[in-house]
Amino acid sequence: MQNFENRLWATSVQLAGEAGMEFTVPCSRNVQDLLAAGVKDMLREKRVSEEDLEQADASLSRLVGEMVRVTRQLGSNALSGEKIKIREGALVQAKELCPLWPFG
């Protein structure tokens, strides 16, 4: 399932990038921890079918989408030539959507 965890992280980075954003280093660690915990829950619950993986992907897309929305709402600006940074506060606010299986 490490591959799935890596895939989820790649999806997170891609979704943020499509919005012209990137995670700060501390926020990226928090997101990766959240993904690891979610994958662990999937294994514990023996929910690793293709349908389960798709549900986890959909939940992640909602979370990252909310992080992007919150970051925009906060009016975060990027330095010239850099992407807007998604910070930990955006993750905290996005987690208010939970429970979003398997991420809380």
Side-chain angles (χ1 to χ4, degrees):
M1 287 301 283
Q2 182 65 42
N3 286 343
F4 185 57
E5 197 176 314
N6 291 339
R7 186 175 108 191
L8 289 171
W9 173 242
T11 297
S12 301
V13 171
Q14 177 184 349
L15 291 169
E18 288 171 1
M21 299 182 186
E22 64 186 5
F23 298 102
T24 63
V25 171
C27 186
S28 68
R29 286 190 199 114
N30 290 337
V31 172
Q32 289 172 325
D33 289 346
L34 181 71
L35 298 178
V39 169
K40 211 176 272 188
D41 286 347
M42 292 174 73
L43 289 169
R44 190 184 75 249
E45 297 170 17
K46 295 179 176 40
R47 291 188 58 188
V48 292
S49 70
E50 190 56 39
E51 186 176 290
D52 295 327
L53 299 177
E54 288 173 12
Q55 184 178 353
D57 265 333
S59 294
L60 177 64
S61 292
R62 283 192 60 201
L63 275 173
V64 174
E66 182 66 4
M67 292 172 72
V68 166
R69 187 193 71 74
V70 167
T71 300
R72 284 191 178 128
Q73 182 181 344
L74 293 172
S76 300
N77 296 316
L79 298 175
S80 180
E82 289 189 9
K83 293 184 175 186
I84 295 170
K85 306 289 189 213
I86 299 175
R87 302 189 183 284
E88 300 81 13
L91 175 59
V92 170
Q93 287 189 31
K95 285 172 75 175
E96 291 176 8
L97 293 174
C98 290
L100 282 176
W101 184 87
F103 308 112

